[in-house]
Amino acid sequence: MIRLGKDGKMNIYMIGPTYPYRGGIAHYTTLLFREFRKKHNVTLCAVKRQYPMWLYPGETDRDPSKEYLTEEGIEYMLDSMNPLTWFKIIAHIRKIKPDVVIIPWWVTFWTVQYWTICAPIRWFKLSKVLFVCHNVVEHESSKLKTFLTRLVLSKGDYFLVHSGEVKDTLLKLLPNAKIGVKGHPKYDFFKTAQTDRDAQREKYGFEQDDLVLLFFGFVRKYKGVPVLLDAMKTLAPKYNNIKLLLVGEAWHEEETVIEEKIASYGLKEQVVRVNAYVPNEDVQLYFNASDVAVFPYSTATASGALQIALAMDVPVIATRMSCFEEIVDENESGFIIPPDDPNAIVDAVEKFMNDGEINRQLIQDMKVHIGKQNKQVDWEEMADFLTELVESGTHAD
């Protein structure tokens, strides 16, 4: 248990990526830092070198956005490949004497670095440690990665997860873990000025009467894009006004699979492919051009892209994973379907059609519901939730 100072503030030390690095973890770290510092004393020890590029599966880990997300007062100290910086951070923590050190966990690449930092914190009782577990075990996991995850997370005092499924996974590794469960806040910072929806749809060759499905985010094996294309193979001959906007940089061999399916299924007129990382200022354009966002994942622990879709008031079709089921209100903000089932995608998409035309009333009703839902989850709530978890020292779910 931690007692707050007389001013009611906690001393918080955060470690993690932020700008100039790209992606959901960097955005999450920055937004949480922004919110914490409104009420507490916060230090963000940011990553100054993340991955060696020979290990990174994408083109670059740097954010190409012109409108980037950052905050003042960030200290860039952590070099993933330089152990001297890890020990420098330990000395920094010893000097600052924070109440809690908050660290994101999502991939075992960070095992050695985080263990080296966290072990002395525990040994010398320098601070409490809270892990924000975006994943517990990786999507492409192994026994070795599970062992490494347990090794690092065993140094934590508290844990935040975003779904009951991830909580259950964590408890299998650490049965006595003190875990808080809270839904992922919305990435509403992408929602800026209104854009011209008609012009954006015209840019991609979509007609105003087309039902445009959107897949958005890094294309990885577990995200089920081939299954979505299998569904489009069924939908395309029945509805010439159903289109798919497939947006996101492909990792590994996934682009080859996509290209082969589009060609063999004859979907070149129905699928618009954008194989690139989307800069912040363009994210809203793709969602505004779309009617329904689809998340055909075979496994999932959380999805930043889903949070963007809801922040943009876009109805969703998502697979039956706890991280989706706990966020998507069935029949009100979207539809939940079984994973790895193209026919289930077809059935869900057809609910947005009415005699071959878009069911505009259903989409509008869902947008209204999503708008109300969005008011219930924000970054202030998340910061307060974590403060309460650390201060009370008890389960917060």
Side-chain angles (χ1 to χ4, degrees):
M1 179 175 178
I2 292 175
R3 297 187 182 278
L4 299 181
K6 294 181 180 179
D7 59 0
K9 294 184 177 182
M10 186 179 290
N11 292 321
I12 299 171
Y13 194 98
M14 297 179 65
I15 299 174
T18 183
Y19 182 82
Y21 296 102
R22 70 185 193 177
I25 309 297
H27 293 151
Y28 189 108
T29 301
T30 310
L31 291 168
L32 190 58
F33 172 63
R34 174 183 291 177
E35 197 60 48
F36 266 135
R37 69 194 314 198
K38 294 177 182 178
K39 297 180 181 179
H40 302 285
N41 303 314
V42 192
T43 300
L44 175 52
C45 170
V47 175
K48 64 179 180 181
R49 178 166 57 162
Q50 191 166 228
Y51 307 112
M53 290 317 301
W54 58 271
L55 271 179
Y56 189 72
E59 291 185 1
T60 177
D61 60 354
R62 299 294 177 117
D63 191 340
S65 304
K66 296 177 182 178
E67 298 177 10
Y68 49 83
L69 177 66
T70 189
E71 283 286 300
E72 295 181 354
I74 296 172
E75 301 190 39
Y76 289 86
M77 296 176 60
L78 179 56
D79 184 329
S80 68
M81 304 304 291
N82 184 352
L84 292 179
T85 67
W86 315 344
F87 292 105
K88 183 178 179 181
I89 290 169
I90 297 169
H92 198 218
I93 291 171
R94 183 186 291 272
K95 178 182 178 181
I96 291 178
K97 297 184 173 73
D99 296 309
V100 62
V101 177
I102 299 178
I103 302 173
W105 178 257
W106 74 102
V107 63
T108 51
F109 169 80
W110 291 99
T111 296
V112 177
Q113 300 90 328
Y114 284 169
W115 188 92
T116 301
I117 292 169
C118 292
I121 293 175
R122 291 294 297 272
W123 294 339
F124 300 111
K125 299 181 179 180
L126 302 180
S127 173
K128 297 295 185 181
V129 174
L130 186 153
F131 281 103
V132 176
C133 296
H134 300 278
N135 295 321
V136 173
V137 293
E138 297 173 47
H139 298 286
E140 300 87 358
S141 193
S142 65
K143 290 184 178 179
L144 175 60
K145 289 182 177 181
T146 300
F147 168 78
L148 295 174
T149 298
R150 182 186 289 110
L151 184 70
V152 175
L153 296 187
S154 66
K155 301 306 177 186
D157 297 286
Y158 312 104
F159 304 88
L160 170 71
V161 299
H162 295 308
S163 73
E165 181 180 347
V166 180
K167 176 186 175 182
D168 292 342
T169 301
L170 179 55
L171 286 174
K172 290 178 183 177
L173 295 181
L174 303 171
N176 297 317
K178 296 177 179 178
I179 305 171
V181 184
K182 189 167 182 62
H184 197 306
K186 302 294 186 294
Y187 280 139
D188 52 3
F189 77 93
F190 288 113
K191 193 172 185 178
T192 55
Q194 290 297 316
T195 59
D196 189 332
R197 172 180 164 87
D198 292 345
Q200 192 64 20
R201 288 169 73 93
E202 184 178 348
K203 175 181 176 180
Y204 296 109
F206 302 141
E207 301 292 337
Q208 296 312 307
D209 292 331
D210 287 342
L211 179 74
V212 179
L213 310 177
L214 173 67
F215 176 93
F216 186 90
F218 288 120
V219 179
R220 300 176 63 180
K221 186 172 292 185
Y222 72 90
K223 291 189 176 183
V225 170
V227 180
L228 177 55
L229 291 172
D230 291 343
M232 284 298 298
K233 178 185 178 183
T234 300
L235 289 165
K238 295 174 66 176
Y239 307 96
N240 60 11
N241 60 337
I242 292 182
K243 305 296 173 59
L244 172 62
L245 182 53
L246 179 50
V247 181
E249 181 182 345
W251 285 15
H252 305 300
E253 71 283 358
E254 292 305 298
E255 190 61 22
T256 300
V257 175
I258 290 171
E259 290 174 353
E260 290 176 351
K261 282 187 175 286
I262 290 175
S264 64
Y265 292 167
L267 294 175
K268 290 185 178 181
E269 298 299 320
Q270 283 76 30
V271 179
V272 174
R273 175 71 179 115
V274 181
N275 181 16
Y277 179 83
V278 179
N280 296 342
E281 59 271 14
D282 291 344
V283 169
Q284 185 173 358
L285 301 178
Y286 293 105
F287 284 90
N288 278 2
S290 306
D291 299 295
V292 180
V294 186
F295 300 88
Y297 296 17
S298 58
T299 63
T301 54
S303 171
L306 178 80
Q307 303 303 332
I308 298 172
L310 296 177
M312 300 292 180
D313 300 329
V314 175
V316 302
I317 297 171
T319 47
R320 187 166 287 117
M321 313 284 165
S322 68
C323 62
F324 294 151
E325 289 182 289
E326 293 167 15
I327 295 173
V328 178
D329 292 335
E330 177 73 6
N331 298 318
E332 294 186 291
S333 55
F335 298 110
I336 298 293
I337 61 172
D340 303 314
D341 187 346
N343 291 328
I345 297 176
V346 171
D347 291 343
V349 170
E350 288 185 324
K351 292 179 182 178
F352 290 99
M353 301 296 290
N354 189 358
D355 292 330
E357 298 182 355
I358 300 175
N359 188 338
R360 299 188 185 278
Q361 187 60 54
L362 175 62
I363 292 175
Q364 182 57 34
D365 290 345
M366 286 190 171
K367 285 179 175 292
V368 171
H369 180 82
I370 293 168
K372 295 176 181 178
Q373 187 181 17
N374 284 340
K375 297 177 182 178
Q376 301 173 10
V377 183
D378 59 24
W379 291 95
E380 181 180 9
E381 277 195 4
M382 178 58 72
D384 290 345
F385 181 86
L386 290 175
T387 303
E388 181 182 350
L389 173 60
V390 174
E391 185 183 3
S392 65
T394 59
H395 296 259
D397 55 317

